[in-house]
Amino acid sequence: MASLHGQRVVRQEDRALLTRGGTYVADVADPLLDGAAHVTFVRSTMAHARITGIDVEGVRTAPGVVGVFTAADLGLGFAPMAVPVLPPAMARPWLAGEVVRFVGEPIVVILTERRDQGEDAAEQAIIDYEPLPVVAHPEDARNDEVLLFPDHGSNTAAVFGDEGDASEFADCEVVVRERLVNQRVAVAPLEVRSTAAAVGADGRLNVWMSTQAPQSARHAITRAFGWELDSVRLIAPDVGGGFGAKIGPYPEEMLVAWLVRHLGRPLRWLETRSENMVAMGHGRGQIQHITIGGGRDGVVLAYRLDILQDSGAYPSMGAFLPYMTRVMAAGVYAIPNVACHATSVVTNTMTTVAYRGAGRPEATAAIERAMDLFAAEIGMSPAEVRRRNLIDVASFPHTTPTGAVYDIGDYRRALDLVLDAAGYDELLAEQASRRASGAVRQIGIGLALYVEITAGPTAGKESARVEIRPDGRAMVFTGTSPHGQGHETSWAMIASDVLGIGLDDIEVIHGDTDLVPRGMGTMGSRSLQLGGSAVLEASEQVLDLARRVAAELLGVGVDDVVLDHDAGVFRQAHDAVGGASVSWQQVAVAAAGEGGSLAAGADFQASTPTYPFGAHVAVVELDSETGLVTLDRFIAVDDAGRVLNPLIAEGQRHGGIAQGAAQALCEEMVYDDDANPLTTTFADYTFISACELPSFELVAMETPTPVNPLGAKGVGESGTIGSTPAVQNAVVDALSPWGVRHLDMPATPQRVWRAIAAGHDLSSRQGT
Amino acid sequence: MDLSLSVNGESQTHDIEPRTLLVHYLREQCGLTGTNVGCDTSSCGACTVHLDGRAVKSCTMLALQAEGCEVTTIEGLAAPNGTLHPMQEAFRAHHGLQCGFCTPGMVMAAVSLLDESPNPTETDVRHGLEGNLCRCTGYHNIIQAVLAVSRESS
C-alpha cells in the first residue's frame, strides 16, 4: 500500500454531513433529553447601568414557564476567570444582579416547556436600570475617568512588555509613525452556541456542548461548581465552526449544567443569532501605534509597536492576546531593535476572545502596514524593502528581539514564489498604465509576508490511543476536537500508514470525555502537529505490540516479523508472498485471548511551538467614483511544513484567506458611542459571501519542521494572518494616487470614497 | 391547524401552531434535522430546501404556506439506494464542506441554481450562492464543486 502521506484523500466524514446533515447540539436526540425544558436568557439592553429592580412576576405566570432565576436566586457569585492571571475584581457574575456592563449581559434565566414560550415569557421581565457613564472606546477606558470595576482601581486588565524609550530610533534617517485600528469583528460560526444537559441513570451529568475543547469544558464546569471531575460526561457532537470563540465555556453554558444538576430536569439551550452577535466573544479589537525607522537604503533598524487591546467588559482570552501579538511583533524581518508594549483595558462591550489567528494577525497587520509605510516614505517598492530586511535562510533557529525562536523557514523563497506566481512586474505595468490614463478603475497591489506561531505559546502536548478490535478494525482515540478540520480522515491516514489497515477499517473517536478523558481540543493550529504526532506514536507502539503477538503465532523471533502494508498482514521477513501470514484480526484475537489488549496510548510532547510562514499578494480593483473595492486576485504561498493531506490543507488555507480578506474588506462589529451594538444580525453585519471573493491561486511550498515526527506546522490560521494585511495594503496602494498613505479596515465603499474625496481636496488645495 | 404536504416524497399531515416556520416544522415535526438554522434574518441560507423544485429559505415562510407542496430536504436528495446526487458527490470530491453546517442549504441552493442556469460562469455561481453563507469559509471549493457538476452534465 503506497503511503497516504501527501495524498488528496477525500474526507471520511463527508457522507453523513452531505446526506443527513451533521448532528449538532440542537440535533442531538438522546433519550435522556426527552422532555427537556428550554432555557432563555433575559439580557441587558443597557451598556452600563445599576440594576435597581428585577420584576419577574409576569414571567412566572407566562404560558409554559417552569422556572425563573435571577442572580439572587442562584446565589453563585462569580464565574471563574478564563485566564487566571487576570484581575479577580473583574470577574463576571453568572447573572448580573447589581450592575450590567455590556448590552447582552444575562440577567434572568427562564425555563419553559417549549422554546418559543421562552421568547414570549422574556418579554414579561421588567428590569429597572439606573444608567451609569459608558466606556465605549478603549482609548477612553485608558483615561480611567469612568471605572467598570471601581474595586480594581483602573480599567487596565493586563500589561505586556516594557515601555522602552525613544532612543532606539536615534540612529534612523527616516522614522514613520502611524495609528492603526485592527477593528473588532464578530466570530460568527454558522452554528451558534448551544448546550443540552441531562442526568443519566448513573447519576452523572451528561452535557452536550458546541465546543472546541470538551475535556477543558468538563474541567471548567466541575471546578466552577466544586463537583468531582467524573460526575460530568461532556460531549462535543458535530460542531458547526468555532474559530476560537468556542474554546472556553461561557457562563450561559455552564449555568445550563448547574441548573440541570439543581433541578434534575433535562434542559436545552440554543441561542439566537442576534444573541450570538452580542454575547459570544468577539475577535481582534486592537488600536496600534507603530513606529518604524531605518535608512534610505531600505534597511529597517528599529520597530516599535504599542498596543491598546479592547478586552470588552469582562476580560478573558482577548485581554491575553497582545502577548501573542508581542511574541510575533518582528514578523519575518531581522530588525535589530524591536519593542512592543501592550495594555489591555475593559470597555462596556462584549468580551473579546480568540478569533482565527488570535493575536498573530494583529502582529502581522502592524508590521506589514509599517513596512509599506516605510517603503512609501523612502520611495522604494514594498517588495524590495521587504527583501532587504528578511531573516536569512541560514540563521534558523532564529531568536527575535521579543523572544520567539523561529524553528525553520525560507522567507526569501516564499517572496520570490509569490511574486513570480502573481506576475508582479506585469501587475505593476498594468497599474502604471491605468494611473497614466487616469482610468476610473484603478488597481492596487498588496504584499504581505508573515510568520506565525502554532501550537503555542509554550511547547504543546496532546494524547492519543490506538486500539485494534478483535475484528481487526482500528479505533483511534484523539484528544483533539475537530469542527471542520477533517481529523477523522487525517488521523486515519496517519494510523493507516503505520498499521497497513485501510481507511474504511479505522474509526476516529473524539469529543466524548467518557471515551477520551484527556485532551486539549482544537485551537491555535495545534491539532496535526501535536494530536497527529500522538496518533503516529500510538500507532507505532501498537505495531510493536502486534509484531510480538504475530511472532508467537508465526513461531518466529520478533525481529523476523514484518508488516506487509499492502496486504495488511504480518509475515516472516524475506518470506515470499503466499507464505505463512497472520492477519490483524488473528493478532487482535490472540492478544485478547492472552488477557491482554492490543492498544497503546501516547502523549506527544513537542519541544517548541512551530512557525509557519508565507507570502501573499492581493490585487484589488478600485472604482474611484463609488469607492467600491473588489478583490480581483489572491495569490498565496503558505508553508506549513510537510503536508499530510493537500485537499484538507488547501481548504484550511482558502478559509483563512477568506476570513482575513473579510476583515480587510467588509466586516466590523460596530458599537456606537453609547456602546449600543449596531451590527447585531447578519442583515447588519457584512459577513463576507462568495460574490465578494475570487478563486484563490495557491502556490505550494513545504519546509518540514524538525519539531515533530510529521514535519508539520499548523495551517488553520495562517491564511487569515497573511491575507488581512495583503488586502489592506492593496487597498492603500490603489488609493496612493490620492495621497493616501494609510486607511483603516474595513475598506467599505464609504470609507474609501471619503479617502478619495479628501485626496481631491488635498490636491485642489495644493493646486491653489 | 392542519397541514398536509409531501416531504421527500412522503405524505405528511400534522396539526401545527399557525406561527410555525417551515424550517421548525421540518426539524421538529418531521425529525429532519439536516436543515439548519444559522440566523434570524433570512441571511445565511443554512435552511435552504426545495419547494416544488425551487430553492427557498425555509426560515422565511410559514409551514402552512407549503400546504399541498412538495418539499425536498438534504435527506431526500440522494437516491433511495444511497447513491449520492452529483452535487453531493462533487462537494465531497472537491472538499466543498468543512464543519458542514452550511452544507445542506448550500447543496440545495446549488442544485436549484444549476436547474435554473445549467451553464453558469464562475461569477454566476458566486452571485447565485450569495445568499448562502459559509464561515469556514470554503467558497473556493464550493464554487469548484458546482462548476464541476455543471461541466459534467453538459
Side-chain angles (χ1 to χ4, degrees):
Chain A
M1 194 163 70
S3 170
L4 292 171
H5 209 120
Q7 301 293 316
R8 303 176 73 85
V9 176
V10 296
R11 296 201 317 177
Q12 302 286 99
E13 38 282 81
D14 287 357
R15 190 176 172 91
L17 295 173
L18 281 162
T19 53
R20 58 165 175 75
T23 303
Y24 306 97
V25 171
D27 306 330
V28 170
D30 193 287
L32 286 177
L33 290 169
D34 287 350
H38 294 261
V39 177
T40 303
F41 290 94
V42 177
R43 297 179 181 277
S44 173
T45 55
M46 301 286 286
H48 197 195
R50 192 168 303 287
I51 297 174
T52 55
I54 302 177
D55 179 354
V56 292
E57 284 317 302
V59 181
R60 290 189 201 284
T61 54
V65 172
V66 295
V68 184
F69 298 85
T70 64
D73 300 323
L74 296 178
L76 279 174
F78 295 89
M81 302 298 281
V83 181
V85 295
L86 295 171
M90 293 181 169
R92 176 170 160 179
W94 291 99
L95 292 174
E98 296 173 8
V99 175
V100 289
R101 294 186 179 84
F102 69 95
V103 171
E105 185 168 1
I107 301 170
V108 181
V109 184
I110 302 172
L111 310 181
T112 52
E113 296 290 352
R114 292 200 325 251
R115 187 163 175 242
D116 59 329
Q117 293 168 330
E119 283 182 55
D120 293 341
E123 296 290 322
Q124 303 304 316
I126 300 168
I127 316 295
D128 291 323
Y129 302 98
E130 180 186 301
L132 293 167
V134 168
V135 182
H137 303 290
E139 284 165 334
D140 293 336
R142 199 173 201 173
N143 295 334
D144 288 331
E145 285 169 6
V146 174
L147 297 181
L148 267 69
F149 303 92
D151 288 351
H152 182 62
S154 88
N155 287 323
T156 297
V159 175
F160 304 93
D162 46 48
E163 293 280 359
D165 56 52
S167 64
E168 57 252 28
F169 295 96
D171 298 332
C172 298
E173 272 180 277
V174 178
V175 177
V176 186
R177 295 183 174 82
E178 189 59 78
R179 173 183 180 272
L180 317 174
V181 178
N182 204 293
Q183 83 274 25
R184 177 188 287 250
V185 293
V187 179
L190 216 52
E191 184 204 15
V192 294
R193 294 178 299 170
S194 184
T195 300
V199 177
D202 57 2
R204 297 162 71 223
L205 188 65
N206 293 261
V207 181
W208 292 264
M209 188 184 291
S210 182
T211 176
Q212 300 173 228
Q215 290 82 5
S216 306
R218 179 167 77 141
H219 277 285
I221 289 171
T222 53
R223 264 203 306 266
F225 302 126
W227 300 341
E228 294 289 322
L229 184 64
D230 286 343
S231 70
V232 171
R233 175 188 190 183
L234 207 135
I235 300 164
D238 287 327
V239 172
F243 314 109
K246 291 180 183 172
I247 293 175
Y250 290 81
E252 291 102 317
E253 295 165 320
M254 293 198 268
L255 260 187
V256 171
W258 185 87
L259 287 165
V260 172
R261 182 56 91 193
H262 193 71
L263 303 171
R265 177 164 183 181
L267 295 175
R268 288 181 185 270
W269 175 58
L270 174 67
E271 69 180 343
T272 65
R273 175 58 61 188
S274 308
E275 284 182 285
N276 177 268
M277 292 298 284
V278 298
M280 168 184 253
H282 296 145
R284 314 285 188 255
Q286 285 189 3
I287 295 170
Q288 305 170 326
H289 287 266
I290 56 106
T291 312
I292 186 166
R296 294 203 172 272
D297 59 356
V299 175
V300 176
L301 298 172
Y303 171 67
R304 174 167 187 86
L305 172 60
D306 289 288
I307 301 167
L308 184 60
Q309 170 74 50
D310 186 350
S311 309
Y314 297 100
S316 178
M317 187 59 82
F320 170 77
L321 292 182
Y323 175 87
M324 303 293 279
T325 311
R326 184 175 180 278
V327 166
M328 298 314 299
V332 292
Y333 307 108
I335 304 172
N337 254 309
V338 177
C340 178
H341 179 263
T343 305
S344 298
V345 294
V346 290
T347 60
N348 290 119
T349 60
M350 180 54 202
T351 302
T352 53
V353 299
Y355 172 56
R356 205 163 190 167
R360 297 101 83 201
E362 294 90 326
T364 305
I367 186 75
E368 291 302 304
R369 279 303 301 130
M371 278 289 165
D372 266 22
L373 285 159
F374 183 73
E377 187 66 27
I378 64 170
M380 190 177 281
S381 104
E384 187 54 31
V385 166
R386 283 172 172 79
R387 190 183 301 281
R388 292 189 184 191
N389 291 284
L390 290 175
I391 295 165
D392 189 77
V393 67
S395 65
F396 291 95
H398 172 91
T399 303
T400 72
T402 54
V405 185
Y406 299 165
D407 53 345
I408 192 165
D410 188 346
Y411 306 151
R412 191 174 302 270
R413 181 166 154 72
L415 175 61
D416 290 342
L417 281 172
V418 83
L419 294 180
D420 185 50
Y424 194 64
D425 292 339
E426 291 85 348
L427 286 170
L428 289 173
E430 165 73 13
Q431 182 180 59
S433 141
R434 290 210 203 182
R435 284 182 181 173
S437 70
V440 169
R441 289 175 179 274
Q442 292 288 323
I443 64 168
I445 307 156
L447 175 62
L449 274 74
Y450 70 87
V451 55
E452 60 131 337
I453 176 172
T454 60
T458 55
K461 183 176 172 180
E462 191 49 272
S463 60
R465 187 166 175 278
V466 175
E467 181 179 328
I468 311 296
R469 291 292 166 88
D471 61 2
R473 289 169 55 85
M475 310 283 285
V476 176
F477 299 86
T478 176
T480 65
S481 196
H483 38 283
Q485 296 85 351
H487 297 178
E488 290 174 30
T489 304
S490 299
W491 290 194
M493 289 167 69
I494 293 168
S496 177
D497 266 1
V498 174
L499 303 172
I501 296 175
L503 291 178
D504 291 341
D505 290 320
I506 299 175
E507 187 178 355
V508 177
I509 308 289
H510 57 82
D512 180 339
T513 59
D514 267 11
L515 301 173
V516 192
R518 291 189 305 125
M520 298 292 289
T522 287
M523 74 282 295
S525 300
R526 66 189 299 280
S527 294
L528 175 60
Q529 57 190 308
L530 302 178
S533 294
V535 170
L536 178 70
E537 292 189 350
S539 301
E540 286 169 344
Q541 289 176 32
V542 165
L543 179 60
D544 279 349
L545 293 174
R547 285 174 69 235
R548 277 179 230 165
V549 178
E552 283 184 30
L553 293 174
L554 289 166
V556 299
V558 174
D559 294 341
D560 282 340
V561 173
V562 293
L563 174 65
D564 177 342
H565 279 83
D566 290 332
V569 297
F570 295 88
R571 302 182 195 286
Q572 191 173 352
H574 315 300
D575 216 5
V577 173
S581 69
V582 291
S583 66
W584 275 105
Q585 190 174 352
Q586 288 169 298
V587 171
V589 168
E594 291 169 9
S597 74
L598 206 48
D603 287 313
F604 177 76
Q605 171 70 62
S607 55
T608 72
T610 59
Y611 296 83
F613 61 93
H616 290 180
V617 168
V619 183
V620 300
E621 189 174 72
L622 163 69
D623 182 330
S624 59
E625 290 181 343
T626 65
L628 180 70
V629 169
T630 310
L631 181 59
D632 263 3
R633 286 180 65 200
F634 198 91
I635 306 97
V637 174
D638 298 296
D639 190 326
R642 190 165 168 231
V643 174
L644 173 65
N645 184 334
L647 191 67
I648 291 175
E650 287 166 14
Q652 292 294 307
R653 292 167 68 189
H654 292 153
I657 291 167
Q659 279 190 7
Q663 187 187 2
L665 289 172
C666 52
E667 294 191 12
E668 179 170 22
M669 183 68 208
V670 181
Y671 284 86
D672 70 11
D673 290 342
D674 297 318
N676 293 304
L678 302 183
T679 48
T680 61
T681 69
F682 282 173
D684 299 315
Y685 187 79
T686 42
F687 190 129
I688 202 157
S689 77
C691 69
E692 281 108 21
L693 293 166
S695 286
F696 304 135
E697 302 163 50
L698 303 188
V699 181
M701 180 168 172
E702 293 190 30
T703 309
T705 176
V707 172
N708 60 69
L710 293 168
K713 303 180 183 184
V715 74
E717 298 165 287
S718 46
T720 315
I721 292 164
S723 71
T724 308
V727 174
Q728 189 186 14
N729 284 346
V731 173
V732 176
D733 184 51
L735 289 168
S736 63
W738 286 273
V740 175
R741 288 285 174 92
H742 176 72
L743 188 72
D744 279 321
M745 304 180 288
T748 58
Q750 185 186 51
R751 181 172 290 176
V752 171
W753 185 87
R754 282 179 191 278
I756 291 171
H760 278 307
D761 284 353
L762 182 70
S763 57
S764 60
R765 275 202 305 275
Q766 283 169 344
T768 54
Chain B
M1 289 180 74
D2 278 347
L3 168 68
S4 294
L5 75 176
S6 158
V7 179
N8 296 333
E10 286 183 25
S11 297
Q12 300 278 351
T13 301
H14 287 98
D15 178 21
I16 63 164
E17 285 255 331
R19 67 175 175 175
T20 306
L21 297 173
L22 179 59
V23 65
H24 292 138
Y25 168 74
L26 292 169
R27 290 178 52 84
E28 290 159 22
Q29 260 78 36
C30 303
L32 296 169
T33 56
T35 304
N36 292 320
V37 179
C39 70
D40 30 41
T41 47
S42 297
S43 308
C44 80
C47 64
T48 305
V49 300
H50 290 180
L51 185 75
D52 291 336
R54 288 176 64 99
V56 295
K57 291 182 176 179
S58 61
C59 75
T60 313
M61 58 184 286
L62 297 168
L64 290 173
Q65 290 175 287
E67 171 72 30
C69 295
E70 287 188 16
V71 174
T72 307
T73 69
I74 192 71
E75 291 93 339
L77 192 62
N81 68 5
T83 303
L84 295 182
H85 183 281
M87 192 63 73
Q88 292 168 311
E89 196 58 65
F91 266 63
R92 183 158 187 259
H94 291 270
H95 186 28
L97 61 156
Q98 294 184 25
C99 82
F101 199 85
C102 76
T103 307
M106 193 71 81
V107 168
M108 298 310 283
V111 169
S112 182
L113 174 69
L114 289 192
D115 283 347
E116 291 168 26
S117 170
N119 297 299
T121 63
E122 177 180 334
T123 304
D124 294 339
V125 177
R126 287 186 176 274
H127 283 268
L129 295 178
E130 184 184 11
N132 289 78
L133 301 177
C134 164
R135 193 54 167 178
C136 282
T137 166
Y139 296 129
H140 178 109
N141 284 344
I142 291 167
I143 304 305
Q144 294 305 313
V146 178
L147 290 173
V149 174
S150 163
R151 275 193 309 271
E152 284 157 20
S153 58
S154 65

